[in-house]
Amino acid sequence: MTETIARVFSLLSVRWGKSIDENALSAARFVTHLRYLFARSAEATSSAVIRVDVLSSVRQAYPEAADAALEVAKLIGTALRRELGDDEVSYLALHTSRLYVEMLNT
């Protein structure tokens, strides 16, 4: 889990060409979400189903963050040995958009 989270931050930093402040609130929220994602996977449970297409909303506002979320979903899916559902990808898009906006503003 820790290695995969480090790889996620590395992937995002390389993709966006700028370091991500891993001590920022948005990064801490993202790490918390990722840890719970791993815990849910270990327990074979899933997150609550989102009825709103968050990924499409993020794609309209921040296409780079949406593309990054899909790449992160593949990386995590490989680590978990399963494909992430649309609801998890939507949550990842929400978090990557927060990180992306914060990175743009620093």
Side-chain angles (χ1 to χ4, degrees):
M1 174 176 64
T2 303
E3 180 183 325
T4 302
I5 291 171
R7 290 179 65 204
V8 165
F9 278 97
S10 177
L11 180 150
L12 295 175
S13 293
V14 168
R15 181 177 182 84
W16 295 333
K18 191 171 181 183
S19 294
I20 295 171
D21 180 4
E22 294 183 32
N23 295 313
L25 181 59
S26 59
R29 287 179 176 168
F30 189 38
V31 168
T32 299
H33 173 73
L34 293 175
R35 286 183 179 170
Y36 278 103
L37 191 159
F38 276 89
R40 284 190 304 275
S41 181
E43 296 173 6
T45 60
S46 63
S47 62
V49 176
I50 300 175
R51 301 285 180 220
V52 178
D53 187 358
V54 175
L55 182 59
S56 291
S57 297
V58 170
R59 183 171 302 290
Q60 286 179 342
Y62 307 105
E64 282 292 323
D67 290 342
L70 293 171
E71 202 168 340
V72 167
K74 286 180 187 175
L75 189 147
I76 293 172
T78 299
L80 295 174
R81 295 187 181 107
R82 70 173 180 88
E83 188 174 321
L84 298 185
D86 292 342
D87 54 335
E88 284 293 356
V89 176
S90 288
Y91 279 120
L92 290 173
L94 180 64
H95 286 287
T96 57
S97 67
R98 286 179 176 162
L99 288 171
Y100 186 71
V101 167
E102 187 171 274
M103 183 203 63
L104 290 176
N105 292 325
T106 58

